Amino acid sequence: SQIASFNGAPASYAAVFFRGRHLSAVKMTYQRAHHNYVLASVTAELGAPSKDPDGATWRWRTDLGSVFMAATKPDPETEASVIWMGQ
């Protein structure tokens, strides 16, 4: 489904994933040009992230799971997204 924005940045869509009857993940895509704004918004909400060992992904650990996004602005062939994965 189409959505208008994510934390004030133009967004493309949201996808939800279930394991049985339980929400297991949420993926929110946004326009690539707003990567730094989305990164700053997520950091303001969740605190300082850590870099995954691959060096390309930021990770925020929360009580309910982890949030991930690219450490740098994705290239044109890569979807810009924020992903929450439950525990």
Side-chain angles (χ1 to χ4, degrees):
S1 66
Q2 291 208 333
I3 58 174
S5 68
F6 172 68
N7 283 358
S12 301
Y13 70 87
V16 294
F17 302 88
F18 293 88
R19 186 177 304 125
R21 294 179 151 190
H22 300 282
L23 182 65
S24 62
V26 176
K27 177 180 181 179
M28 181 79 63
T29 63
Y30 56 89
Q31 294 179 9
R32 216 171 266 101
H34 298 278
H35 177 78
N36 290 338
Y37 176 81
V38 173
L39 176 60
S41 295
V42 174
T43 299
E45 189 69 31
L46 299 178
S50 59
K51 261 193 187 165
D52 269 2
D54 66 7
T57 307
W58 287 117
R59 178 182 189 156
W60 293 263
R61 295 181 191 272
T62 73
D63 292 341
L64 299 174
S66 294
V67 176
F68 302 90
M69 71 180 289
T72 59
K73 182 179 169 183
D75 60 45
E77 293 79 35
T78 305
E79 197 168 62
S81 63
V82 175
I83 300 170
W84 169 81
M85 295 179 71
Q87 297 179 7

